[in-house]
Amino acid sequence: MGYRKSISLLLVLLLSIHILFIPAVAFDDIGDSDNAEAIETLSGLGILSGYSEGSFMPDGKITRAEFTVIVTKLTGFEAVNNETSTPTPFADVEDTYWANNYINYVNSMGFMIGNGDGFSPEAEVTVDEVQKVLVEVLGYGFRTMNMGYPDGYRSVGSEL
């Protein structure tokens, strides 16, 4: 089975069995949020994490740097070593930046790349960027070849 199909299968299995095996993660600010169950499930799986003071900020924005951590965990490559860092090809990401190695990983896999001005790690991740990453992680990026970005990823993402 291919790498991407394995990831897809793993995600389906993990999300299917979360009720039986994943302990609830308590955040003091998700309350009756429409996304509370998804937040708790993905947090229990170790894909999402809240902030050190116990909040999740469900209505907050996610930066490109934060999203690189989610993508890395989603693909099962949590073995990113944050003790040592490798320089990125982006002038706006210092070697000591907290997400440097996550940025290197998603860039090397082609999931997220620079935006012409660098990586812009503190910029808000866009819906188009998230859709592109998910389509690529699931192995359907090849279907966007003649449509370009973002239209191709929107089309394939909607179809999937």
PDB file of all heavy atoms in Angstrom, residues 9-35:
ATOM      1  N   LEU A   9      -5.854   5.658   5.330  1.00  0.00           N
ATOM      2  CA  LEU A   9      -6.424   4.546   6.082  1.00  0.00           C
ATOM      3  C   LEU A   9      -6.211   4.740   7.580  1.00  0.00           C
ATOM      4  O   LEU A   9      -7.124   4.542   8.380  1.00  0.00           O
ATOM      5  CB  LEU A   9      -5.811   3.216   5.631  1.00  0.00           C
ATOM      6  CG  LEU A   9      -6.306   1.965   6.345  1.00  0.00           C
ATOM      7  CD1 LEU A   9      -7.812   1.805   6.155  1.00  0.00           C
ATOM      8  CD2 LEU A   9      -5.584   0.744   5.816  1.00  0.00           C
ATOM      9  N   LEU A  10      -5.033   5.158   7.967  1.00  0.00           N
ATOM     10  CA  LEU A  10      -4.727   5.390   9.375  1.00  0.00           C
ATOM     11  C   LEU A  10      -5.638   6.468   9.959  1.00  0.00           C
ATOM     12  O   LEU A  10      -6.176   6.312  11.049  1.00  0.00           O
ATOM     13  CB  LEU A  10      -3.257   5.791   9.547  1.00  0.00           C
ATOM     14  CG  LEU A  10      -2.825   6.135  10.964  1.00  0.00           C
ATOM     15  CD1 LEU A  10      -2.944   4.917  11.872  1.00  0.00           C
ATOM     16  CD2 LEU A  10      -1.397   6.648  10.962  1.00  0.00           C
ATOM     17  N   LEU A  11      -5.832   7.553   9.225  1.00  0.00           N
ATOM     18  CA  LEU A  11      -6.711   8.623   9.710  1.00  0.00           C
ATOM     19  C   LEU A  11      -8.134   8.128   9.902  1.00  0.00           C
ATOM     20  O   LEU A  11      -8.776   8.420  10.910  1.00  0.00           O
ATOM     21  CB  LEU A  11      -6.693   9.803   8.742  1.00  0.00           C
ATOM     22  CG  LEU A  11      -5.440  10.652   8.761  1.00  0.00           C
ATOM     23  CD1 LEU A  11      -5.495  11.692   7.644  1.00  0.00           C
ATOM     24  CD2 LEU A  11      -5.282  11.332  10.096  1.00  0.00           C
ATOM     25  N   VAL A  12      -8.638   7.387   8.954  1.00  0.00           N
ATOM     26  CA  VAL A  12     -10.004   6.861   9.056  1.00  0.00           C
ATOM     27  C   VAL A  12     -10.122   5.946  10.272  1.00  0.00           C
ATOM     28  O   VAL A  12     -11.068   6.053  11.059  1.00  0.00           O
ATOM     29  CB  VAL A  12     -10.410   6.117   7.763  1.00  0.00           C
ATOM     30  CG1 VAL A  12     -11.699   5.347   7.961  1.00  0.00           C
ATOM     31  CG2 VAL A  12     -10.541   7.107   6.619  1.00  0.00           C
ATOM     32  N   LEU A  13      -9.146   5.054  10.448  1.00  0.00           N
ATOM     33  CA  LEU A  13      -9.188   4.147  11.592  1.00  0.00           C
ATOM     34  C   LEU A  13      -9.102   4.889  12.915  1.00  0.00           C
ATOM     35  O   LEU A  13      -9.862   4.614  13.848  1.00  0.00           O
ATOM     36  CB  LEU A  13      -8.054   3.116  11.497  1.00  0.00           C
ATOM     37  CG  LEU A  13      -8.200   2.069  10.404  1.00  0.00           C
ATOM     38  CD1 LEU A  13      -6.943   1.212  10.312  1.00  0.00           C
ATOM     39  CD2 LEU A  13      -9.407   1.181  10.676  1.00  0.00           C
ATOM     40  N   LEU A  14      -8.184   5.834  13.010  1.00  0.00           N
ATOM     41  CA  LEU A  14      -8.028   6.582  14.254  1.00  0.00           C
ATOM     42  C   LEU A  14      -9.270   7.377  14.600  1.00  0.00           C
ATOM     43  O   LEU A  14      -9.702   7.413  15.748  1.00  0.00           O
ATOM     44  CB  LEU A  14      -6.809   7.504  14.176  1.00  0.00           C
ATOM     45  CG  LEU A  14      -5.455   6.816  14.225  1.00  0.00           C
ATOM     46  CD1 LEU A  14      -4.346   7.835  13.977  1.00  0.00           C
ATOM     47  CD2 LEU A  14      -5.240   6.115  15.550  1.00  0.00           C
ATOM     48  N   LEU A  15      -9.839   8.023  13.611  1.00  0.00           N
ATOM     49  CA  LEU A  15     -11.036   8.810  13.870  1.00  0.00           C
ATOM     50  C   LEU A  15     -12.244   7.931  14.144  1.00  0.00           C
ATOM     51  O   LEU A  15     -13.143   8.325  14.873  1.00  0.00           O
ATOM     52  CB  LEU A  15     -11.296   9.766  12.707  1.00  0.00           C
ATOM     53  CG  LEU A  15     -10.240  10.863  12.542  1.00  0.00           C
ATOM     54  CD1 LEU A  15     -10.501  11.673  11.283  1.00  0.00           C
ATOM     55  CD2 LEU A  15     -10.178  11.766  13.760  1.00  0.00           C
ATOM     56  N   SER A  16     -12.258   6.717  13.619  1.00  0.00           N
ATOM     57  CA  SER A  16     -13.365   5.800  13.845  1.00  0.00           C
ATOM     58  C   SER A  16     -13.380   5.228  15.254  1.00  0.00           C
ATOM     59  O   SER A  16     -14.430   4.969  15.810  1.00  0.00           O
ATOM     60  CB  SER A  16     -13.317   4.638  12.842  1.00  0.00           C
ATOM     61  OG  SER A  16     -13.450   5.115  11.537  1.00  0.00           O
ATOM     62  N   ILE A  17     -12.206   5.022  15.818  1.00  0.00           N
ATOM     63  CA  ILE A  17     -12.141   4.385  17.136  1.00  0.00           C
ATOM     64  C   ILE A  17     -11.915   5.364  18.279  1.00  0.00           C
ATOM     65  O   ILE A  17     -11.765   4.966  19.418  1.00  0.00           O
ATOM     66  CB  ILE A  17     -11.042   3.305  17.180  1.00  0.00           C
ATOM     67  CG1 ILE A  17      -9.667   3.906  16.947  1.00  0.00           C
ATOM     68  CG2 ILE A  17     -11.334   2.191  16.223  1.00  0.00           C
ATOM     69  CD1 ILE A  17      -8.521   2.936  17.150  1.00  0.00           C
ATOM     70  N   HIS A  18     -11.958   6.654  17.997  1.00  0.00           N
ATOM     71  CA  HIS A  18     -11.642   7.642  19.034  1.00  0.00           C
ATOM     72  C   HIS A  18     -12.543   7.547  20.252  1.00  0.00           C
ATOM     73  O   HIS A  18     -12.110   7.779  21.367  1.00  0.00           O
ATOM     74  CB  HIS A  18     -11.657   9.058  18.453  1.00  0.00           C
ATOM     75  CG  HIS A  18     -13.020   9.649  18.337  1.00  0.00           C
ATOM     76  ND1 HIS A  18     -13.825   9.398  17.264  1.00  0.00           N
ATOM     77  CD2 HIS A  18     -13.705  10.445  19.175  1.00  0.00           C
ATOM     78  CE1 HIS A  18     -14.966  10.034  17.438  1.00  0.00           C
ATOM     79  NE2 HIS A  18     -14.917  10.678  18.583  1.00  0.00           N
ATOM     80  N   ILE A  19     -13.782   7.199  20.079  1.00  0.00           N
ATOM     81  CA  ILE A  19     -14.716   7.153  21.194  1.00  0.00           C
ATOM     82  C   ILE A  19     -14.306   6.095  22.209  1.00  0.00           C
ATOM     83  O   ILE A  19     -14.455   6.282  23.415  1.00  0.00           O
ATOM     84  CB  ILE A  19     -16.143   6.878  20.675  1.00  0.00           C
ATOM     85  CG1 ILE A  19     -16.610   8.055  19.830  1.00  0.00           C
ATOM     86  CG2 ILE A  19     -17.102   6.627  21.826  1.00  0.00           C
ATOM     87  CD1 ILE A  19     -17.910   7.843  19.124  1.00  0.00           C
ATOM     88  N   LEU A  20     -13.748   5.002  21.749  1.00  0.00           N
ATOM     89  CA  LEU A  20     -13.380   3.911  22.655  1.00  0.00           C
ATOM     90  C   LEU A  20     -12.062   4.125  23.374  1.00  0.00           C
ATOM     91  O   LEU A  20     -11.907   3.718  24.512  1.00  0.00           O
ATOM     92  CB  LEU A  20     -13.302   2.596  21.855  1.00  0.00           C
ATOM     93  CG  LEU A  20     -14.587   2.148  21.172  1.00  0.00           C
ATOM     94  CD1 LEU A  20     -14.309   0.934  20.315  1.00  0.00           C
ATOM     95  CD2 LEU A  20     -15.655   1.859  22.209  1.00  0.00           C
ATOM     96  N   PHE A  21     -11.097   4.752  22.727  1.00  0.00           N
ATOM     97  CA  PHE A  21      -9.747   4.755  23.257  1.00  0.00           C
ATOM     98  C   PHE A  21      -9.130   6.118  23.548  1.00  0.00           C
ATOM     99  O   PHE A  21      -8.096   6.188  24.171  1.00  0.00           O
ATOM    100  CB  PHE A  21      -8.805   4.015  22.291  1.00  0.00           C
ATOM    101  CG  PHE A  21      -9.221   2.600  22.061  1.00  0.00           C
ATOM    102  CD1 PHE A  21      -9.830   2.232  20.872  1.00  0.00           C
ATOM    103  CD2 PHE A  21      -9.023   1.643  23.035  1.00  0.00           C
ATOM    104  CE1 PHE A  21     -10.220   0.926  20.660  1.00  0.00           C
ATOM    105  CE2 PHE A  21      -9.416   0.336  22.829  1.00  0.00           C
ATOM    106  CZ  PHE A  21     -10.020  -0.029  21.644  1.00  0.00           C
ATOM    107  N   ILE A  22      -9.729   7.178  23.092  1.00  0.00           N
ATOM    108  CA  ILE A  22      -9.099   8.486  23.235  1.00  0.00           C
ATOM    109  C   ILE A  22      -9.708   9.208  24.430  1.00  0.00           C
ATOM    110  O   ILE A  22     -10.903   9.462  24.469  1.00  0.00           O
ATOM    111  CB  ILE A  22      -9.281   9.339  21.959  1.00  0.00           C
ATOM    112  CG1 ILE A  22      -8.773   8.615  20.729  1.00  0.00           C
ATOM    113  CG2 ILE A  22      -8.632  10.705  22.131  1.00  0.00           C
ATOM    114  CD1 ILE A  22      -7.304   8.263  20.778  1.00  0.00           C
ATOM    115  N   PRO A  23      -8.889   9.548  25.412  1.00  0.00           N
ATOM    116  CA  PRO A  23      -9.414  10.271  26.568  1.00  0.00           C
ATOM    117  C   PRO A  23      -9.806  11.689  26.171  1.00  0.00           C
ATOM    118  O   PRO A  23      -9.218  12.289  25.284  1.00  0.00           O
ATOM    119  CB  PRO A  23      -8.221  10.299  27.535  1.00  0.00           C
ATOM    120  CG  PRO A  23      -7.026  10.145  26.670  1.00  0.00           C
ATOM    121  CD  PRO A  23      -7.457   9.310  25.491  1.00  0.00           C
ATOM    122  N   ALA A  24     -10.818  12.192  26.838  1.00  0.00           N
ATOM    123  CA  ALA A  24     -11.255  13.556  26.565  1.00  0.00           C
ATOM    124  C   ALA A  24     -10.171  14.538  26.999  1.00  0.00           C
ATOM    125  O   ALA A  24      -9.542  14.362  28.027  1.00  0.00           O
ATOM    126  CB  ALA A  24     -12.553  13.843  27.300  1.00  0.00           C
ATOM    127  N   VAL A  25      -9.957  15.546  26.185  1.00  0.00           N
ATOM    128  CA  VAL A  25      -9.016  16.596  26.515  1.00  0.00           C
ATOM    129  C   VAL A  25      -9.846  17.810  26.906  1.00  0.00           C
ATOM    130  O   VAL A  25     -10.706  18.243  26.147  1.00  0.00           O
ATOM    131  CB  VAL A  25      -8.097  16.921  25.322  1.00  0.00           C
ATOM    132  CG1 VAL A  25      -7.173  18.068  25.643  1.00  0.00           C
ATOM    133  CG2 VAL A  25      -7.306  15.682  24.929  1.00  0.00           C
ATOM    134  N   ALA A  26      -9.611  18.327  28.082  1.00  0.00           N
ATOM    135  CA  ALA A  26     -10.410  19.439  28.572  1.00  0.00           C
ATOM    136  C   ALA A  26      -9.736  20.776  28.274  1.00  0.00           C
ATOM    137  O   ALA A  26      -8.584  20.986  28.647  1.00  0.00           O
ATOM    138  CB  ALA A  26     -10.633  19.294  30.064  1.00  0.00           C
ATOM    139  N   PHE A  27     -10.455  21.639  27.598  1.00  0.00           N
ATOM    140  CA  PHE A  27     -10.009  23.008  27.373  1.00  0.00           C
ATOM    141  C   PHE A  27     -11.055  23.907  28.011  1.00  0.00           C
ATOM    142  O   PHE A  27     -12.256  23.643  27.897  1.00  0.00           O
ATOM    143  CB  PHE A  27      -9.885  23.317  25.876  1.00  0.00           C
ATOM    144  CG  PHE A  27      -8.816  22.521  25.190  1.00  0.00           C
ATOM    145  CD1 PHE A  27      -9.145  21.530  24.302  1.00  0.00           C
ATOM    146  CD2 PHE A  27      -7.478  22.774  25.441  1.00  0.00           C
ATOM    147  CE1 PHE A  27      -8.159  20.790  23.655  1.00  0.00           C
ATOM    148  CE2 PHE A  27      -6.484  22.047  24.807  1.00  0.00           C
ATOM    149  CZ  PHE A  27      -6.823  21.048  23.916  1.00  0.00           C
ATOM    150  N   ASP A  28     -10.627  24.949  28.653  1.00  0.00           N
ATOM    151  CA  ASP A  28     -11.559  25.799  29.384  1.00  0.00           C
ATOM    152  C   ASP A  28     -12.346  26.774  28.515  1.00  0.00           C
ATOM    153  O   ASP A  28     -13.200  27.495  29.015  1.00  0.00           O
ATOM    154  CB  ASP A  28     -10.843  26.549  30.507  1.00  0.00           C
ATOM    155  CG  ASP A  28      -9.711  27.444  30.013  1.00  0.00           C
ATOM    156  OD1 ASP A  28      -9.650  27.733  28.806  1.00  0.00           O
ATOM    157  OD2 ASP A  28      -8.885  27.849  30.847  1.00  0.00           O
ATOM    158  N   ASP A  29     -12.112  26.765  27.209  1.00  0.00           N
ATOM    159  CA  ASP A  29     -12.782  27.747  26.365  1.00  0.00           C
ATOM    160  C   ASP A  29     -13.501  27.181  25.140  1.00  0.00           C
ATOM    161  O   ASP A  29     -13.895  27.923  24.256  1.00  0.00           O
ATOM    162  CB  ASP A  29     -11.789  28.820  25.928  1.00  0.00           C
ATOM    163  CG  ASP A  29     -10.645  28.272  25.078  1.00  0.00           C
ATOM    164  OD1 ASP A  29     -10.460  27.036  25.042  1.00  0.00           O
ATOM    165  OD2 ASP A  29      -9.931  29.070  24.463  1.00  0.00           O
ATOM    166  N   ILE A  30     -13.711  25.858  25.074  1.00  0.00           N
ATOM    167  CA  ILE A  30     -14.422  25.341  23.893  1.00  0.00           C
ATOM    168  C   ILE A  30     -15.910  25.183  24.158  1.00  0.00           C
ATOM    169  O   ILE A  30     -16.696  25.184  23.225  1.00  0.00           O
ATOM    170  CB  ILE A  30     -13.807  24.044  23.326  1.00  0.00           C
ATOM    171  CG1 ILE A  30     -13.826  22.906  24.332  1.00  0.00           C
ATOM    172  CG2 ILE A  30     -12.426  24.290  22.796  1.00  0.00           C
ATOM    173  CD1 ILE A  30     -13.425  21.577  23.736  1.00  0.00           C
ATOM    174  N   GLY A  31     -16.317  25.067  25.409  1.00  0.00           N
ATOM    175  CA  GLY A  31     -17.729  25.051  25.788  1.00  0.00           C
ATOM    176  C   GLY A  31     -18.613  24.302  24.828  1.00  0.00           C
ATOM    177  O   GLY A  31     -18.413  23.132  24.536  1.00  0.00           O
ATOM    178  N   ASP A  32     -19.607  25.004  24.314  1.00  0.00           N
ATOM    179  CA  ASP A  32     -20.580  24.410  23.393  1.00  0.00           C
ATOM    180  C   ASP A  32     -20.239  24.678  21.939  1.00  0.00           C
ATOM    181  O   ASP A  32     -21.106  24.690  21.075  1.00  0.00           O
ATOM    182  CB  ASP A  32     -21.984  24.957  23.692  1.00  0.00           C
ATOM    183  CG  ASP A  32     -22.483  24.528  25.054  1.00  0.00           C
ATOM    184  OD1 ASP A  32     -22.086  23.444  25.523  1.00  0.00           O
ATOM    185  OD2 ASP A  32     -23.274  25.288  25.645  1.00  0.00           O
ATOM    186  N   SER A  33     -18.964  24.865  21.663  1.00  0.00           N
ATOM    187  CA  SER A  33     -18.527  25.122  20.297  1.00  0.00           C
ATOM    188  C   SER A  33     -19.004  24.011  19.368  1.00  0.00           C
ATOM    189  O   SER A  33     -19.034  22.840  19.750  1.00  0.00           O
ATOM    190  CB  SER A  33     -16.995  25.211  20.248  1.00  0.00           C
ATOM    191  OG  SER A  33     -16.528  25.187  18.920  1.00  0.00           O
ATOM    192  N   ASP A  34     -19.396  24.372  18.166  1.00  0.00           N
ATOM    193  CA  ASP A  34     -19.801  23.380  17.164  1.00  0.00           C
ATOM    194  C   ASP A  34     -18.673  22.400  16.882  1.00  0.00           C
ATOM    195  O   ASP A  34     -18.906  21.287  16.413  1.00  0.00           O
ATOM    196  CB  ASP A  34     -20.201  24.070  15.859  1.00  0.00           C
ATOM    197  CG  ASP A  34     -21.484  24.877  15.991  1.00  0.00           C
ATOM    198  OD1 ASP A  34     -22.251  24.634  16.938  1.00  0.00           O
ATOM    199  OD2 ASP A  34     -21.706  25.748  15.136  1.00  0.00           O
ATOM    200  N   ASN A  35     -17.432  22.816  17.130  1.00  0.00           N
ATOM    201  CA  ASN A  35     -16.267  21.989  16.829  1.00  0.00           C
ATOM    202  C   ASN A  35     -15.678  21.313  18.057  1.00  0.00           C
ATOM    203  O   ASN A  35     -14.592  20.755  17.975  1.00  0.00           O
ATOM    204  CB  ASN A  35     -15.203  22.848  16.145  1.00  0.00           C
ATOM    205  CG  ASN A  35     -15.723  23.435  14.851  1.00  0.00           C
ATOM    206  OD1 ASN A  35     -16.317  22.742  14.047  1.00  0.00           O
ATOM    207  ND2 ASN A  35     -15.508  24.718  14.658  1.00  0.00           N
TER     208      ASN A  35
END
